[in-house]
Amino acid sequence: MILTFFDLLVGFKSLPKLKKLEILNLGYNQFNKTNIKQLSGFTSLKTLAISNSNIEGFFPFEDFASLSNLEILDLSYNSFNGIVSSSIRLKSSLKSLSLVGNRLNGSLQYQGFCQLNKLQELDLSYNLFQGILPPCLNNFTSLRLLDLSSNLFSGNLSSPLLPNLTSLEYINLSYNQFEGSFSFSSFANHSKLQVVILGSDNNKFEVETEYPVGWLKGLTLSSCKLTGDLPGFLQYQFRLVGVDLSHNNLTGGFPNWLLENNMRLEVLVLRNNSLMGQLLPLGPNTCISSLDISHNQLDGQLQENVGHMIPNMKYLNLSNNGFEGILPSSIAEMGSLGALDLSANNFSGEVPKQLLATKDLGILKLSNNKFHGEIFSGDFNLTWLDFLYLDNNQFTGTLSNVISRSSRLWVLDVSNNYMSGEIPSQIGNMTYLITLVLGNNSFKGKLPPEISQLQRFVH
Ligand SMILES: *[C@@H]1O[C@H](CO)[C@@H](O)[C@H](O)[C@H]1NC(C)=O
Ligand SMILES: *[C@@H]1O[C@H](CO)[C@@H](O)[C@H](O)[C@H]1NC(C)=O
Ligand SMILES: *[C@@H]1O[C@H](CO)[C@@H](O)[C@H](O)[C@H]1NC(C)=O
Ligand SMILES: *[C@@H]1O[C@H](CO)[C@@H](O)[C@H](O)[C@H]1NC(C)=O
Ligand SMILES: *[C@@H]1O[C@H](CO)[C@@H](O)[C@H](O)[C@H]1NC(C)=O
Ligand SMILES: *[C@@H]1O[C@H](CO)[C@@H](O)[C@H](O)[C@H]1NC(C)=O
């Protein structure tokens, strides 16, 4: 029996009569602890979900002792607090437990937890759990998903780490306080593993990456102190969809092979490493939609047909590198480009007029380059632009077209250029504008009184 919203209207009090109820979803409501207690009558319950319901206070796990058939328990995104270990009485029948996004704390090192060894999914992320990973976790051999991210877990992650959990498909240990040096040899037999997320600013452990893993789809090793070339085992992964190796000290050139080997790769984040040298011509890859290689030491020109080769980019961040030369007009062939950040490079020449009429562009950041030309010419027509940073270039011309055609702008920064003309009074119609920076140009005339209609005015 599945409870409907109508049953709820009839009244929560009658619920304990529903002894045969197997699935109960009460999520997205405003319950509190008292109400929860009444659930202990549902002895047939297999699935209980009460997420996002504002429940506060110490969680009355003892009330669940009678739910001996419970298989799925989802109490995510409430405000439970307290030390779980002292009272948890969940049944070993449990297959899926989600306590994401509460304020639970305590260690998992206690018998009640070890009994949950039939679990297939365990998600304790975004809590305050602490202590080491309990040794009995390695007995949870059915686990497919293990997410302990964003807690205060500590201890050493040196191998072997969870060697028996060969059913694992997804593991996320990021944002904790682990130490030691983690080796992928721990996962040598984990052939089902698809997503590994280890990195964070808090984890202090280092990652050794010399061992091949099976067929990864997602890998995040952000802030993991990786040095040298990209982890070699990535050469043998052909099903990657997302890779984030940001905030390391990786060297070598841009890994063209990653895009060539992984025709399904959608997201590649190599931000803040030490990649250097020129970009070699990219071959066609129609899946990649998000590429962040900002904060590296890459240089050279962008290939003429770049937009042709990676046409489905939605997010492209090349900022803080040494790229130079003219921006190829093919970049406008990235038809669904929503954010383009080319700031802090050495690009020069005019911005291709095709790019300035791209339909979806919401963020355009060209700051700190050597672009010139009349940026807001008649061709300029970026209707959906929210953020426009053109500062520190050599742009010329007036503001009238940007004001009439990009009326949704939140941020307009054209400072440190050679713009001229008067500030049009229509600027008062830009009701979303939060930041307007016009300093160090050759604007003249009076400030229009309409400018006082703007919500906030800077410079
Ligand atoms: C929560 O439970 C208390 C009893 O413990 C009750 O007095 C209060 O009205 C309840 N709050 C809401 C919002 O239902
Ligand atoms: C793992 O399970 C076995 C068999 O049930 C048991 O003997 C052993 O103590 C468990 N290990 C831990 C660390 O709990
Ligand atoms: C870049 O990554 C290093 C770690 O390799 C980190 O210390 C630094 O804060 C990061 N810089 C930025 C700008 O994120
Ligand atoms: C591009 O990356 C830099 C960091 O390297 C970041 O500060 C900036 O916000 C990113 N640009 C966009 C549009 O997200
Ligand atoms: C700007 O583009 C929109 C479509 O996004 C079009 O309707 C409008 O006519 C264009 N305006 C100019 C001046 O080209
Ligand atoms: C004003 O902008 C120009 C063009 O970008 C630049 O060369 C110059 O240094 C800027 N002056 C100041 C005082 O920032």
Coordinates of all heavy atoms in Angstrom, one line a residue, residues 1 51 58 67 97 125 137 145 148 205 216 232 270 293 298 362 367 382 388 410 424 453:
M1 N 0.8 -1.2 0.0 CA 0.0 0.0 0.0 C 0.9 1.3 0.0 O 1.8 1.4 0.7 CB -0.9 0.0 1.3 CG -1.7 1.3 1.4 SD -2.7 1.2 2.9 CE -3.4 2.8 2.8
S51 N 12.2 13.2 4.1 CA 13.3 14.2 3.8 C 12.8 15.6 3.8 O 11.6 15.8 3.6 CB 14.1 13.8 2.6 OG 13.2 14.0 1.5
F58 N 16.9 15.7 18.7 CA 17.6 14.4 18.8 C 16.8 13.4 18.1 O 15.6 13.3 18.4 CB 17.8 14.1 20.2 CG 18.8 12.9 20.4 CD1 20.2 13.1 20.3 CD2 18.3 11.6 20.5 CE1 21.0 12.0 20.4 CE2 19.2 10.6 20.6 CZ 20.5 10.8 20.6
L67 N 10.4 -1.5 13.6 CA 10.2 -1.5 12.1 C 11.1 -2.6 11.6 O 12.1 -2.3 10.9 CB 10.5 -0.2 11.5 CG 9.6 1.0 12.1 CD1 9.9 2.3 11.3 CD2 8.2 0.7 12.0
L97 N 20.3 3.6 3.6 CA 20.2 4.5 4.7 C 20.7 5.9 4.2 O 21.9 6.0 3.8 CB 21.0 4.0 5.9 CG 21.0 5.0 7.1 CD1 19.7 5.3 7.6 CD2 21.9 4.4 8.2
S125 N 26.6 11.9 4.2 CA 27.3 13.2 3.9 C 26.6 14.4 4.5 O 25.4 14.3 4.9 CB 27.3 13.4 2.3 OG 26.0 13.3 1.8
L137 N 33.2 -1.7 8.6 CA 32.7 -1.2 7.3 C 33.1 -2.1 6.1 O 32.4 -2.3 5.1 CB 33.2 0.2 7.1 CG 32.6 1.0 5.9 CD1 31.1 1.1 6.0 CD2 33.2 2.4 5.8
L145 N 26.9 2.1 -2.9 CA 27.2 3.6 -2.8 C 27.6 3.9 -1.4 O 27.0 3.5 -0.4 CB 25.9 4.3 -3.1 CG 25.9 5.9 -3.0 CD1 25.0 6.5 -4.0 CD2 25.6 6.3 -1.6
L148 N 30.5 9.5 2.4 CA 30.8 10.0 3.8 C 31.3 11.4 3.7 O 31.9 11.9 4.7 CB 31.8 9.1 4.5 CG 31.5 7.6 4.6 CD1 32.6 6.8 5.2 CD2 30.2 7.4 5.4
F205 N 45.4 13.9 3.1 CA 46.1 12.7 2.6 C 46.5 13.0 1.1 O 46.0 13.8 0.5 CB 45.2 11.5 2.7 CG 44.0 11.5 1.8 CD1 44.1 11.0 0.5 CD2 42.8 12.0 2.3 CE1 43.0 11.0 -0.3 CE2 41.7 12.0 1.5 CZ 41.8 11.5 0.2
L216 N 36.2 3.6 -14.9 CA 35.7 4.8 -14.2 C 34.9 5.6 -15.1 O 35.2 5.8 -16.2 CB 36.9 5.6 -13.7 CG 37.5 5.2 -12.4 CD1 38.6 6.2 -12.1 CD2 36.5 5.2 -11.2
G232 N 48.5 8.2 -14.7 CA 48.6 7.3 -15.9 C 47.5 6.4 -16.1 O 47.1 6.2 -17.3
L270 N 40.6 21.1 -14.9 CA 42.0 21.0 -14.6 C 42.5 22.3 -14.0 O 43.7 22.7 -14.1 CB 42.8 20.7 -15.9 CG 42.5 19.3 -16.5 CD1 43.1 19.2 -17.9 CD2 43.0 18.2 -15.6
I293 N 40.3 25.0 -17.8 CA 41.7 24.9 -17.7 C 42.3 26.2 -17.2 O 43.5 26.5 -17.5 CB 42.3 24.4 -19.0 CG1 41.9 25.3 -20.2 CG2 42.0 23.0 -19.3 CD1 42.6 24.9 -21.5
L298 N 49.3 27.6 -19.9 CA 49.2 27.2 -21.3 C 49.3 28.5 -22.1 O 48.9 29.6 -21.7 CB 47.8 26.6 -21.5 CG 47.7 25.2 -20.7 CD1 46.3 24.8 -20.6 CD2 48.5 24.2 -21.5
G362 N 25.4 34.0 -21.2 CA 25.0 34.7 -20.0 C 26.2 35.3 -19.2 O 26.0 36.3 -18.5
S367 N 38.2 40.3 -19.5 CA 39.1 41.3 -18.8 C 40.6 40.9 -19.0 O 41.0 39.8 -19.2 CB 38.9 41.2 -17.3 OG 37.5 41.1 -17.0
L382 N 23.7 40.6 -27.4 CA 23.7 39.5 -26.4 C 22.5 39.8 -25.5 O 22.7 40.3 -24.4 CB 25.0 39.5 -25.7 CG 26.2 39.1 -26.6 CD1 27.5 39.2 -25.9 CD2 26.0 37.6 -27.1
L388 N 29.0 40.9 -17.7 CA 29.9 41.3 -18.8 C 31.1 42.0 -18.3 O 31.0 43.1 -17.7 CB 29.2 42.2 -19.8 CG 30.0 42.7 -21.0 CD1 30.5 41.5 -21.8 CD2 29.1 43.5 -21.9
W410 N 23.5 42.2 -14.9 CA 23.7 42.4 -13.4 C 25.0 43.2 -13.2 O 25.2 44.0 -12.3 CB 23.9 41.1 -12.7 CG 22.6 40.3 -12.6 CD1 21.7 40.1 -13.6 CD2 22.1 39.6 -11.4 NE1 20.6 39.3 -13.1 CE2 20.9 39.0 -11.8 CE3 22.6 39.5 -10.1 CZ2 20.2 38.3 -10.9 CZ3 21.9 38.7 -9.2 CH2 20.6 38.1 -9.6
P424 N 24.2 57.0 -21.8 CA 22.8 57.2 -22.2 C 21.9 57.2 -21.1 O 22.1 56.4 -20.1 CB 22.6 56.0 -23.2 CG 23.9 55.4 -23.5 CD 24.8 55.8 -22.4
Q453 N 18.3 55.6 -10.6 CA 17.2 54.6 -10.5 C 17.9 53.2 -10.3 O 17.2 52.2 -10.0 CB 16.4 54.5 -11.8 CG 15.5 55.7 -12.0 CD 15.0 55.8 -13.5 OE1 15.0 54.8 -14.1 NE2 14.6 57.0 -13.9

